[in-house]
Structures are given as C-alpha cells and as structure tokens.
Amino acid sequence: GNSVTQMEGPVTLSEEAFLTINCTYTATGYPSLFWYVQYPGEGLQLLLKATKADDKGSNKGFEATYRKETTSFHLEKGSVQVSDSAVYFCALWGRDDKIIFGKGTRLHILP
Amino acid sequence: NAGVTQTPKFQVLKTGQSMTLQCAQDMNHNSMYWYRQDPGMGLRLIYYSASEGTTDKGEVPNGYNVSRLNKREFSLRLESAAPSQTSVYFCASSADTTRTDTQYFGPGTRLTVL
C-alpha cells in the first residue's frame, strides 16, 4: 500500500537558519503530494502542494519539489523565523482516493 | 466564512459512556472526513464521506459510527467510549475526493476517556 515517511523530530534551529525536512513516499502511479502545517492548538492547514512530477510547490518562503526518481518531497526554507515553529506533516493522496499523512515533524526555532 | 467548525472543543468521558462529535462546514464542499491524532502516530483516517448520502471506512473505524446529516454536517459517534479512544479528533472537508484537492481542517476536539 501507499506510505509516507518523514524525518522524526523535534528539529531545533536558530532563527535565519536553513531548514530541510525530509519526506519520502511509496505509491503506485502518480500521487499528489502535500505539506500541511499545524500551529499550537490549531487544526492543520495546507502549506503547499504538487500534483505531478517535477512540480515545485511554494508558499510563505517554503518550497518542495516533487521528485519521482527519488520518490521524495523534501520541505525547504532558506531562512526560518520563530513564527515557523509548528508541526509539519507530509501527505500523499493516491490513486485509491485516500490521503495518507506522515507522523509529523515538530520544528522549534530559537530567537 | 467560518470554514470548518467542531463542537465541543474539549470533552471528558467515563469508560462506557457515549457521545457525538459535531462538525459543520460552510464551503459547500462535497467531501468530509474524520481523523484522530495521537502522539507519534500522525493523523489516521477514521471515516469519510465522499458526497452527501455516502460514508466509507478509513484506516481505524472500529468503535466509531458516522452520519452525514446533510451536505454541511458530518458527525462522529462513540457508542461506548474506551480509554484507547483518548485522542484529538479533527474534522476536515474538501471540494471532492480528487487527488489535487486541499483539505480544510477544523480546530479539533480533545477527548479524554477515563
């Protein structure tokens, strides 16, 4: 079946550092890939998405590229801020019309 | 636009009690979902409704029932609560179940079963 694996946290960085959160997947066919973010005490909200190979999703300075050859969708940001502290979820929506979430990566940004 | 709303925000139950979690969306979405979130487990799909009048099991349906009351509302019922059902429950909606759709989440219900 389909699956999503993302790096375990917590990840702690200083403000203005470069961020990478790894996400790899297994799926048949061509799934859509998503990053969702959950701020403390809130529900998840979409951060970015990519629906076909080589697409790049971007939002709020975050980027992720759908790489079919490495089955990856790593999240990156060039300079993180304290306000980026949250839990980040990689997700896959496959041909079976079901969405699968990774376990989440907690990010702490220190001022 | 309120988006997706859930009630209650918090609930404490004793083992064996029943309760219904309510969810409503005002975005005219066809599809609605119930998830549970447990530490270290991410989100797991309990049930979903692809359209009004249909419901399907997700990954962890045991111990739950759902009702798609109308296009706006999708409720989750625990008939006989167990401590293993202590979790944070999220309702979500999307325009449809096509693979490019964004899911919109409610703020969650934190449930404790003693």
Side-chain angles (χ1 to χ4, degrees), chain A residues 22-40:
Chain A
N22 290 339
C23 173
T24 57
Y25 68 90
T26 57
T28 53
Y30 299 90
S32 295
L33 300 172
F34 303 80
W35 277 102
Y36 282 84
V37 59
Q38 184 180 31
Y39 298 103

Side-chain angles (χ1 to χ4, degrees), chain A:
Chain A
N2 296 341
S3 67
V4 173
T5 303
Q6 61 181 106
M7 64 189 288
E8 297 207 7
V11 174
T12 302
L13 296 171
S14 296
E15 205 166 22
E16 299 182 4
F18 185 86
L19 168 71
T20 300
I21 300 178
N22 290 339
C23 173
T24 57
Y25 68 90
T26 57
T28 53
Y30 299 90
S32 295
L33 300 172
F34 303 80
W35 277 102
Y36 282 84
V37 59
Q38 184 180 31
Y39 298 103
E42 298 183 9
L44 280 70
Q45 55 186 275
L46 179 71
L47 181 59
L48 53 85
K49 66 180 178 182
T51 58
K52 59 183 189 296
D54 300 324
D55 268 2
K56 178 187 282 189
S58 61
N59 186 25
K60 299 182 182 179
F62 290 90
E63 292 182 339
T65 300
Y66 186 160
R67 300 207 184 277
K68 194 171 190 319
E69 64 277 9
T70 54
T71 62
S72 66
F73 192 56
H74 303 322
L75 183 68
E76 296 182 336
K77 186 175 185 183
S79 176
V80 292
Q81 306 299 313
V82 172
S83 57
D84 294 327
S85 297
V87 182
Y88 293 81
F89 292 90
C90 185
L92 171 159
W93 200 326
R95 275 170 43 180
D96 57 0
D97 288 335
K98 292 209 173 74
I99 188 165
I100 296 173
F101 288 85
K103 293 184 178 181
T105 302
R106 185 175 297 277
L107 175 65
H108 293 291
I109 306 299
L110 304 175

